[in-house]
Amino acid sequence: MTLILYLLAGGCLVASAISSREKTVKSLKKAWKSFANIVPAFFAVLLLVSFSVAFLPERVIASLIGEESGFVGQLLASVLGSLTLIPGFIAFPMAKILVESGAGIAQMAVFVSTLMMVGVATAPLEASFFGWRATLLRNAMAYCYSFVVGYVVWMAVAV
Amino acid sequence: MNASQILGRWRSPLISLLLVLPLGVWRPELGKSALLLLGENILMVMGILPPVFILLGLFDTWVPRERVAPHMGDGSGAKGTVLSVLLGACSAGPLYIAFPVAEVMLRKGTSLRNVFVFIGAWSTMRIPMILFEIQNLGAVFGLTRYCVSLVGILLMALLLDRLLDAAEKKRIVARFQAE
């Protein structure tokens, strides 16, 4: 995946350089500027990601959001999903283990959904682009909607 | 750039560091594995970022606003929405990379509603991720969540567009029109 991106970027860069050296330099300057602007925020996010993955072992989460945990379990799942930032390639195998070790389906769907759509740790970064009002609105709506997702997925899996 | 500017720019990682530091002191062995993970994550993200930003920079200088706005701007209708969903779904990488992409889309005249559709699709509808999800949690779980999320994304973008007043929207869009 990353290789494709590099090939694509390299190819476009060469094509651009052939057509117009001036525009290419301008593009690279823009690229560098937005890159430099965003790097500190990425560090903050990555720091929080790494610690939330390391400090929340699967069995702790599974014990919190079991099948019998009901709505309280869903609330806990939503809080965990919103606060933590676990990338998909770690989250899904983990979710599988969680379900196998007793986590509820509805709770799991709420967890996965908030994990993807709600980001407390990324909120400052999001707000630097869209402003706080839009950021808070989007995250609040996504948070509430995650319970809808949990309910529908639970029903679908149950039948 | 002077020291206070650098400090201001690096404020958010410093705050995060202060947040996680007590955890590391409390359980040093977990803190150590967190640091290892941090190293891996930094390498991974720094690996994807350069081509993404180069492509964004090239797109920004080469593709004029007039080429994008009719397809994804106000009045682009269902076509704009479908395009935004597809763009988000075909993307790669974590959500926080979507924000700089959204910035360039806004600058090229994409409507705010479509940008929110794009952000939503990026967050929950990425194709490599749904395949992985099905593999791990089963087709019923994955596909149901995918479809319900799509409905939610469209609804939320519509609502966001309605709930933000005109002044706020103008402010968001204007920030990116500076150059």
Side-chain angles (χ1 to χ4, degrees):
Chain A
M1 191 64 224
T2 315
L3 185 68
I4 299 173
L5 270 176
Y6 271 94
L7 289 175
L8 193 65
C12 292
L13 201 59
V14 170
S16 168
I18 292 168
S19 330
S20 159
R21 169 166 264 215
E22 189 196 338
K23 274 193 170 180
T24 309
V25 172
K26 203 173 148 202
S27 308
L28 286 177
K29 272 189 184 153
K30 273 187 181 171
W32 173 251
K33 212 177 121 199
S34 23
F35 179 75
N37 270 331
I38 213 169
V39 159
F42 277 156
F43 267 102
V45 171
L46 291 178
L47 203 64
L48 296 175
V49 178
S50 311
F51 272 80
S52 58
V53 173
F55 276 81
L56 279 173
E58 282 117 12
R59 58 195 152 72
V60 174
I61 300 181
S63 67
L64 290 174
I65 58 174
E67 190 80 68
E68 282 79 47
S69 59
F71 188 66
V72 177
Q74 291 186 28
L75 271 183
L76 270 172
S78 70
V79 172
L80 278 174
S82 307
L83 290 179
T84 53
L85 262 173
I86 306 171
F89 63 90
I90 298 175
F92 289 127
M94 184 170 122
K96 186 185 178 193
I97 299 169
L98 287 177
V99 171
E100 282 163 0
S101 51
I105 289 290
Q107 286 81 352
M108 207 64 244
V110 172
F111 176 68
V112 169
S113 189
T114 46
L115 196 59
M116 291 178 172
M117 290 201 288
V118 185
V120 171
T122 49
L125 178 67
E126 187 174 345
S128 72
F129 285 96
F130 295 114
W132 275 106
R133 188 185 295 194
T135 302
L136 290 177
L137 264 174
R138 191 194 72 77
N139 281 283
M141 284 196 277
Y143 180 83
C144 297
Y145 192 75
S146 296
F147 290 93
V148 178
V149 175
Y151 186 67
V152 178
V153 170
W154 172 73
M155 289 229 295
V157 173
V159 290
Chain B
M1 200 189 285
N2 61 40
S4 75
Q5 268 177 319
I6 294 175
L7 203 66
R9 185 170 273 198
W10 285 85
R11 196 182 51 198
S12 58
L14 281 176
I15 293 173
S16 317
L17 192 64
L18 288 179
L19 281 174
V20 298
L21 212 55
L23 285 174
V25 174
W26 172 53
R27 301 285 292 276
E29 72 291 359
L30 287 180
K32 211 170 138 192
S33 61
L35 283 182
L36 284 175
L37 267 174
L38 177 66
E40 275 173 37
N41 283 331
I42 287 176
L43 283 181
M44 187 198 69
V45 169
M46 290 305 147
I48 338 179
L49 288 184
V52 169
F53 278 98
I54 286 174
L55 285 170
L56 278 177
L58 288 170
F59 184 84
D60 207 357
T61 36
W62 281 102
V63 181
R65 207 183 145 85
E66 296 72 42
R67 288 286 294 279
V68 180
H71 299 292
M72 303 185 77
D74 290 311
S76 60
K79 185 176 74 172
T81 308
V82 172
L83 268 175
S84 305
V85 170
L86 287 179
L87 263 179
C90 295
S91 62
L95 181 63
Y96 40 84
I97 298 182
F99 300 134
V101 179
E103 171 185 343
V104 175
M105 285 170 68
L106 272 178
R107 187 146 61 219
K108 296 297 171 194
T110 305
S111 69
L112 202 54
R113 189 171 65 83
N114 281 340
V115 165
F116 285 129
V117 170
F118 165 76
I119 295 271
W122 183 308
S123 70
T124 69
M125 297 186 62
R126 297 208 305 278
I127 287 164
M129 215 159 69
I130 177 66
L131 297 178
F132 196 50
E133 181 176 356
I134 290 174
Q135 219 175 52
N136 279 288
L137 293 167
V140 179
F141 186 101
L143 292 178
T144 313
R145 199 200 53 73
Y146 201 75
C147 297
V148 181
S149 296
L150 173 61
V151 175
I153 286 159
L154 299 177
L155 281 176
M156 284 189 273
L158 206 71
L159 265 174
L160 261 173
D161 201 42
R162 290 276 156 81
L163 290 174
L164 292 172
D165 53 70
E168 177 75 17
K169 282 196 244 176
K170 217 180 237 168
R171 200 156 52 227
I172 296 172
V173 176
R175 290 243 302 287
F176 303 124
Q177 311 296 346
E179 294 146 70

